[in-house]
Amino acid sequence: MKLLVCGGAGFIGSNFIHYYLSKYPEREVVNFDKLTYAGNLDNLKDIENNPRYQFVQGDIIDLEKINETIKKYGITHLINFAAETHVDRSIHGGLKDFVLTNTLGVQMLLDAVRINNLEKMVNVSTDEVYGALHLDSPDKFSESTPINPNMPYAAAKAGGDLMCHAYYVTHKVPVVVTHCSNNYGSYQYPEKLIPFFVMRLMKNEKVPMYGDGLYVRDWIHVMDHASALDLLLEKGEAGGVYNIGVDNERSNMEITHMILKMMSKDESSIEYVQDRPGHDRRYAIDSTKILSLGWKPDYSRDKFEQGLKETVDWYLSHLDWVEKIWAKKDDINNHIK
Ligand SMILES: NC(=O)c1ccc[n+]([C@@H]2O[C@H](COP(=O)([O-])OP(=O)(O)OC[C@H]3O[C@@H](n4cnc5c(N)ncnc54)[C@H](O)[C@@H]3O)[C@@H](O)[C@H]2O)c1
């Protein structure tokens, strides 16, 4: 297996590359990434000279460059993390890039898989494509829940997922689609809740809480997401959709209080701000299907506090990484409305 990782310089992609290279000491990966504001080669600094790792700067909508890379490195499998991922940016401008990368980009990758007869593609997508659940309902998203995205980001991701379905049915392209819940862990760009709040608190700044803070997400450790994707590269059924989550529903308010405690801060560090328009209330994932393949996540719900503490400690102890990325704080703050 020779793997092309698209979007490997971002949060989940870089964690996946670390996971994959250490799990398979004989395998090689090629990271194909455009290096948008969210792409960060510092996430991969420790392996930049590893002979089993190559980096190619490129855009997934550039089919010629993808084909050239696949041929040059003898690629057999592809996993796609490349995406515009920040919901607030998709609401307050720049939506065109979301549609280009998250929908058209996926179509280009499907063409590349078809043209080059690759053995498998995994398209990493999100539970947000299913829309929202009520706060106090027992419902969860299953693979048969209808796609019903509310956020422009999620609609662009759903476009990519539907392309995967159509290419499987029409061209028998061997593609697997995943819908994962919110990830936490190291190397996350600090426009997302956990690293954003940790970095603001490190700088003695207040953290902005949207609305009443009772927005529930199903939080998974990024390394558990990586192990699920690795399993699906091996065992995922072509044309299949798999939900990935660990039954760990937490509200933004609950997570914020946990972080405040871990960083010896109190409630006075919270600033209540105007809510995100159309904010989805709750996401929850039914992972029965992937669990039946033998997936065993390390950080179950009862280990969340430990995983969150390790994550907070990672940011507190990687000050060079934090300071370099926090230099972009004006741009980051500008996109939190
Ligand atoms: N972060 C989460 O909690 C979460 C949850 C579920 C699913 N996902 C999905 O996982 C994937 C990765 O998310 P992330 O949080 O690591 O994102 P991220 O924003 O941290 O990284 C995205 C990466 O994609 C690259 N990229 C963007 N446009 C590109 C293009 N046109 N061509 C090539 N590279 C491009 C960026 O440079 C960056 O390295 C996304 O598809 C996202 O929808 C994320």
Side-chain angles (χ1 to χ4, degrees), residues 90 108 182 193 219 281 318:
S90 80
M108 291 299 152
N182 273 39
L193 189 139
W219 290 85
R281 196 39 102 172
H318 286 74

Side-chain angles (χ1 to χ4, degrees), residues 7 18 46-47 66 80 87 98 128 144 207 210 244-245 249-251 258 265 281 284 292 296 313 333-334:
H18 282 115
D46 55 329
I47 54 160
I66 303 161
N80 179 36
V87 173
F98 284 74
E128 302 195 26
S144 57
V207 297
Y210 278 144
I244 305 170
E249 290 183 50
R250 309 274 178 176
S251 70
M258 289 169 91
K265 303 277 184 186
R281 196 39 102 172
S292 74
K296 289 193 175 56
D313 287 347
N333 284 322
N334 248 338

Side-chain angles (χ1 to χ4, degrees), residues 7-13 32-40 58-61 80-85 101 124-127 153 157 180-183 188-189 191-192 225:
F11 163 47
I12 306 174
F32 185 95
D33 196 297
K34 183 178 172 182
L35 298 183
T36 66
Y37 75 94
N40 185 357
D59 190 325
I60 61 166
I61 68 172
N80 179 36
F81 297 92
E84 288 293 336
T85 61
T101 295
V124 179
S125 190
T126 166
D127 57 359
Y153 154 69
K157 289 293 293 181
C180 187
S181 55
N182 273 39
N183 286 222
Q188 188 168 28
Y189 191 76
E191 63 190 354
K192 309 284 167 54
H225 190 186

Side-chain angles (χ1 to χ4, degrees), residues 252-270:
N252 289 353
M253 186 66 89
E254 184 181 359
I255 291 192
T256 303
H257 276 105
M258 289 169 91
I259 296 173
L260 288 174
K261 194 166 161 222
M262 286 169 192
M263 296 185 66
S264 306
K265 303 277 184 186
D266 62 30
E267 186 105 8
S268 65
S269 292
I270 299 178

